Amino acid sequence: MAEAEHQGSSTVSRDLSAIDNQEVAGKLLIDGLERRIAGQLSVIIPVGVIGWIASQTDNRALWIFLGLQILSQFAITATSQSLRRAIEAGKSTRIRKNLWMMAEASSGIIWAAMMLDVGTLIGGSDAVLTTWVTILVTMVVSVLLAAPIAGIAFPLLGGFSAAGAAGILLFDKDFSSFAQLALIFMSVALFIVAKAVNFQAHKSCRDGIEAERLGHRLAEELRRTSWLSRHDGLTGLLNRSALQESIADLGDMPTALILLDIDHFKQINDSYGHGQGDEVIAAVSACISETLDEAAPDALAARWGGEEFIIALPDCKTDAADIAENLRSAVAKLTHQDWPARLRVTGSLGVAHGPAGAFSATFKSADSAMYDAKEQGRNRVVCANDGGGKPSRVARAA
């Protein structure tokens, strides 16, 4: 039955609870994977530059370091891709993430090793300066790409700094005081920059998650408000104005109307309370929905007001009187284990036909037929056959 399901009651608002660090880290990890894989392209230039510089010397050490760096970049690509597939498949990521971090740390160590040995291997000041600048720029770019994920940026930078310090302190590499200070300053500065970028990335990610949740919440509230503006909150059926709008869109399509009024509803309220009355209204509306789902899925059903319901059957192939009788029978069988034993629910129904454009006239005929059903003893269907002149009515009693 079109537009008659109670969707509002099933709408679940997205919880705007506190966002934990694990959720933020997860989103940053996925973003970092995409950025880091794309960042592999930035390594092509420094590898090419250092390869050209290495070709100017017969020392094989720089070639070895260059080969190891290329292997480490392949390892970064492979481990990051594996980690990404594991995340998408919902598998455990701990081992894959550790392998990725090890590949990043290895890359940092190899870059530092190149810097430490390039002066000794080449000896030319221009070549040394070019190599140093190339490696430093590469490190800066790599750290900035990985900085949003502290767990990745710090292994890369940590490997670079540790290898640099070991080369100066343990292997007695001959660096000027200026070069040593420059290397220390750069390492400290990159740590600070990485931490600052990581902090900002966490804040931005958290704000993004909150904005996304709020957007979902607002969208759901808008859908719920829109639904409530067209539906009755108790029954989930269309309200009066929504039904009239829907019928107005039908033009002059032949449309049967069925009006149903719950018999002795005031007595139900007076005898058993308004809460029981609401339960009866909800039960009758469920009966209407179930009956129409089987007999007329395109029907429009609405709570017209109080205990009165209306059903519009546009261009329905099934006899409206038969549908009304099935509905009357279903309502008369309503019961519930929690209801009072003496409570009996029945309905009086009136049926009329006419074009949708003449809704008011058809409604008056159906309304008159419904009151005839009450006058004839209730719990029955009365049909108004509008063929011109005074309508003739046929009663279908229980």
Side-chain angles (χ1 to χ4, degrees):
M1 180 182 58
E3 297 189 76
E5 297 180 0
H6 194 353
Q7 299 170 349
S9 62
S10 63
T11 301
V12 180
S13 297
R14 189 176 294 270
D15 183 20
L16 291 176
S17 59
I19 302 171
D20 57 25
N21 291 329
Q22 185 175 2
E23 182 176 2
V24 175
K27 288 186 71 68
L28 286 176
L29 178 60
I30 295 174
D31 179 66
L33 282 167
E34 297 175 352
R35 289 158 56 95
R36 197 66 180 95
I37 292 172
Q40 295 302 101
L41 296 175
S42 64
V43 180
I44 295 176
I45 294 177
V47 166
V49 170
I50 296 174
W52 175 80
I53 294 174
S55 67
Q56 306 302 310
T57 178
D58 295 331
N59 196 311
R60 299 175 57 188
L62 190 58
W63 285 106
I64 294 174
F65 286 130
L66 191 61
L68 291 175
Q69 185 61 257
I70 293 174
L71 290 176
S72 73
Q73 295 304 317
F74 277 116
I76 290 173
T77 301
T79 52
S80 59
Q81 290 281 21
S82 175
L83 178 58
R84 185 173 183 175
R85 287 193 296 269
I87 293 174
E88 292 174 350
K91 298 179 180 179
S92 174
T93 61
R94 182 177 179 181
I95 295 177
R96 292 175 176 84
K97 186 176 180 180
N98 288 337
L99 290 174
W100 185 28
M101 293 170 66
M102 290 174 59
E104 292 282 359
S106 299
S107 176
I109 292 172
I110 296 169
W111 284 127
M114 287 184 182
M115 289 188 66
L116 292 172
D117 284 343
V118 71
T120 303
L121 293 174
I122 300 176
S125 59
D126 290 341
V128 172
L129 180 60
T130 301
T131 305
W132 272 58
V133 170
T134 300
I135 294 175
L136 291 180
V137 170
T138 302
M139 281 299 303
V140 171
V141 172
S142 299
V143 168
L144 289 179
L145 286 172
I149 316 171
I152 301 302
F154 291 162
L156 172 67
L157 190 52
F160 178 82
S161 301
I168 295 173
L169 300 176
L170 300 181
F171 298 101
D172 195 24
K173 290 295 181 180
D174 187 15
F175 279 100
S176 66
S177 298
F178 176 80
Q180 293 180 22
L181 289 175
L183 186 60
I184 294 172
F185 176 79
M186 189 207 74
S187 299
V188 173
L190 283 180
F191 268 109
I192 295 174
V193 169
K195 188 62 179 177
V197 173
N198 177 253
F199 175 80
Q200 186 60 41
H202 270 73
K203 184 178 183 301
S204 298
C205 184
R206 188 180 298 274
D207 292 343
I209 294 174
E210 290 179 353
E212 183 180 358
R213 289 187 179 183
L214 181 59
H216 282 296
R217 176 68 178 271
L218 290 176
E220 289 178 358
E221 288 299 324
L222 285 174
R223 286 193 294 269
R224 181 174 178 273
T225 301
S226 175
W227 189 91
L228 289 175
S229 70
R230 292 180 52 82
H231 294 78
D232 175 65
L234 176 62
T235 65
L237 300 179
L238 293 173
N239 56 33
R240 179 183 297 196
S241 61
L243 178 74
Q244 290 173 324
E245 290 175 5
S246 298
I247 289 179
D249 293 336
L250 297 177
D252 290 328
M253 183 181 296
T255 303
L257 294 183
I258 301 175
L259 265 64
L260 183 155
D261 189 84
I262 301 175
D263 296 330
H264 304 296
F265 186 74
K266 185 177 184 303
Q267 294 181 14
I268 294 175
N269 274 339
D270 293 342
S271 301
Y272 305 109
H274 290 277
Q276 182 64 68
D278 287 346
E279 289 186 18
V280 169
I281 288 175
V284 170
S285 72
C287 248
I288 293 173
S289 297
E290 292 174 4
T291 300
L292 296 180
D293 282 343
E294 296 179 2
D298 294 329
L300 303 169
R303 184 183 179 190
W304 195 248
E307 70 275 20
E308 191 172 357
F309 301 86
I310 182 171
I311 300 164
L313 302 167
D315 198 23
C316 184
K317 306 304 180 183
T318 306
D319 185 6
D322 291 339
I323 294 175
E325 174 57 27
N326 291 338
L327 182 56
R328 182 208 63 77
S329 176
V331 170
K333 296 175 182 177
L334 278 177
T335 185
H336 193 278
Q337 60 182 2
D338 296 330
W339 287 4
R342 297 180 59 185
L343 175 60
R344 182 168 180 247
V345 181
T346 60
S348 298
L349 296 90
V351 181
H353 296 78
F359 172 75
S360 295
T362 309
F363 178 84
K364 289 179 181 178
S365 296
D367 190 54
S368 180
M370 182 190 70
Y371 277 103
D372 277 0
K374 287 187 175 294
E375 291 176 0
Q376 295 176 22
R378 296 182 171 82
N379 190 24
R380 66 191 63 224
V381 176
V382 173
C383 300
N385 186 8
D386 297 330
K390 185 176 180 179
S392 60
R393 296 179 173 86
V394 179
R396 297 191 180 190

